[in-house]
Amino acid sequence: MHTKQDLLSLGNLTATELTDLLTLATALKQEWKVGGNAPVLKGKVLGMVFTKPSLRTRVSFEMGMHHLGGHALYIAPDEIQMGKRESIPDVARVLSRYVDGIMARVFAHADVVTLAQYSRVPVINGLSDYTHPCQGLADLLTIIEHKGTVKGVTIAYLGDANNVANSLALGGTLLGAHVRIGSPYGYSLRENVAHLAGQFAAASGGSLTQVVDPHEAVHGADVIYTDTWTSMGQESQAVQRALVFPPYQVNSNLVRLAQPDAVIMHCLPAHRGQEITDEVADSPHSVLWDQAENRMHAQKAVLVKLLT
Ligand code: CP
Ligand code: NVA
C-alpha cells in the first residue's frame, strides 16, 4: 500500500508530475470520446464536500466518477457545516472511514489542509480562497489543445490575482509559460505565489511578469484569461471592486492587442458585461466551453492517480 497523496495546490507538484497528469488526462479524454472509459474506479466512492455553490466542479467530478465506474456523493453546505456543527479534524476522521477520496470546496485554504491532515484518504482541493488546482489543470489541458504546448506560450491574466490566477501562474510557470498578470494596485499576486512562480519560471525557461497596465499585459499574448472581480466570500467588497476593475475588462479593444490567433479563457461563471463582454465570450477566439469540459477530463486523471 502506498502512502496517501492529496492535491491541494499545483505548487506542490513537480513539472514531471504535472506533465504526467496532463498526459493521462489527454488519454482519458480520448478513451472516453471513442467509446467510454475503463471502469478503473469500480466500487470507489468520492465524498464531495461543498461549503460554496458550484456547477462545474460538482457536475464534472460526479460525471468523472460515473465514467470511471465509481460513485460520487454530494454533500451540501448545510449538511456537514464543517467547523460549526463538527470540527474539521472530526469531519475528516469520520468521512474518511466511509469514502475512498474526499473533494472539498472551502473558504479558508487552511480548512482543506486540515482535512487532508486528518483524513485517511486522499483529499482534492475543489477551490479554496488560495488555489483552484483542478481549474489550473483544465486550463493547461485547454492551452495544450489549442496551442500545442504550454512551454513558451504567453498567458495574460487580467483582473483580480485570485485563487484561479494563483493556480494558473504556478502551473503555467512550472511548464515554461510566460505568465503575465495585469492587475490594479493592491490586487496583484500574493508574495509567496509570485516567489514560487518565479522559481518555477527560472527552472523551466518561462517567466512571471506583473504589470498594472492592462494593455501592456495583453500585448502580443497567445492566451487572455480573466475571472470574476469578486470571488465567493468577498461579496462585502463588491462595490469597491466594481470601481477598480473596469479598465481590466476583456473586451474587443483589448483582444485586438493580443496575437491574431489568441484564445480567450475564463474559469466561469462569467459576469458578462463586467470582466468579459458578450462579444468576446461568444467570439471565435473563445475556448470557454472546451475549458469547462476539460475540468472533467483533467479531474479524471487526478482521480485515477490518487484513488487507484
Ligand atoms: N470554475 C468553477 O469552479 O466553476 P464552479 O464554481 O461552477 O464549480
Ligand atoms: N475566483 C472565483 C472562482 C469561481 C470558480 C471564486 O473563488 O469565486
Side-chain angles (χ1 to χ4, degrees):
M1 183 163 156
H2 55 76
T3 47
K4 164 180 98 84
Q5 277 184 301
D6 307 300
L7 179 65
L8 303 185
S9 168
L10 295 185
N12 298 337
L13 301 181
T14 63
T16 306
E17 287 169 337
L18 180 53
T19 302
D20 286 352
L21 274 174
L22 292 167
T23 304
L24 180 57
T26 302
L28 289 165
K29 180 171 182 176
Q30 180 61 17
E31 184 185 57
W32 177 69
K33 294 238 175 210
V34 299
N37 293 123
V40 292
L41 295 185
K42 195 171 182 324
K44 304 269 182 176
V45 177
L46 180 73
M48 305 194 298
V49 179
F50 283 89
T51 65
K52 294 173 176 171
S54 168
L55 163 57
R56 280 143 293 271
T57 304
R58 179 190 172 170
V59 180
S60 58
F61 265 108
E62 197 156 330
M63 291 311 298
M65 284 301 289
H66 178 69
H67 292 162
L68 294 167
H71 181 74
L73 184 69
Y74 171 70
I75 306 164
D78 295 349
E79 203 92 60
I80 295 189
Q81 300 175 38
M82 245 192 348
K84 223 189 276 169
R85 183 170 184 265
E86 205 161 350
S87 79
I88 297 174
D90 286 357
V91 169
R93 289 178 177 116
V94 173
L95 202 51
S96 62
R97 294 284 177 113
Y98 299 138
V99 299
D100 304 284
I102 296 172
M103 191 285 296
R105 168 165 284 196
V106 300
F107 285 91
H109 187 72
D111 291 355
V112 76
V113 173
T114 305
L115 264 181
Q117 191 183 341
Y118 290 92
S119 167
R120 286 181 170 187
V121 300
V123 172
I124 301 166
N125 177 3
L127 179 147
S128 69
D129 61 358
Y130 176 46
T131 54
H132 197 358
C134 298
Q135 184 66 54
L137 282 172
D139 297 343
L140 296 170
L141 182 59
T142 308
I143 292 169
I144 291 168
E145 288 177 353
H146 286 275
K147 296 290 162 197
T149 178
V150 175
K151 195 167 176 60
V153 171
T154 298
I155 305 170
Y157 177 95
L158 281 196
D160 184 23
N162 58 17
N163 43 9
V164 168
N166 286 342
S167 290
L168 186 68
L170 292 168
T173 51
L174 256 179
L175 298 189
H178 301 294
V179 178
R180 288 192 207 146
I181 308 286
S183 53
Y185 287 110
Y187 296 95
S188 54
L189 286 180
R190 52 172 94 186
E191 193 58 43
N192 66 320
V193 174
H195 182 75
L196 191 55
Q199 285 183 334
F200 288 162
S204 67
S207 61
L208 174 75
T209 317
Q210 299 211 73
V211 296
V212 172
D213 180 1
H215 303 101
E216 193 183 337
V218 298
H219 187 81
D222 302 302
V223 176
I224 300 180
Y225 198 122
T226 191
D227 182 18
T228 184
W229 295 337
T230 302
S231 287
M232 292 180 277
Q234 299 174 332
E235 290 76 9
S236 66
Q237 302 168 24
V239 172
Q240 169 62 20
R241 286 167 172 268
L243 295 174
V244 173
F245 284 107
Y248 298 83
Q249 181 188 66
V250 175
N251 54 37
S252 301
N253 286 338
L254 213 64
V255 171
R256 237 172 261 134
L257 303 175
Q259 292 293 343
D261 63 348
V263 295
I264 309 299
M265 300 181 70
H266 190 309
C267 61
L268 303 173
H271 304 81
R272 289 163 173 261
Q274 293 181 41
E275 75 272 5
I276 193 166
T277 58
D278 283 336
E279 201 184 358
V280 169
D282 300 327
S283 75
H285 291 278
S286 166
V287 296
L288 268 49
W289 322 120
D290 291 344
Q291 200 185 341
E293 178 185 331
N294 281 337
R295 287 292 302 275
M296 184 168 74
H297 306 301
Q299 287 157 195
K300 279 190 203 174
V302 174
L303 292 165
V304 169
K305 266 268 176 327
L306 299 188
L307 268 55
T308 56

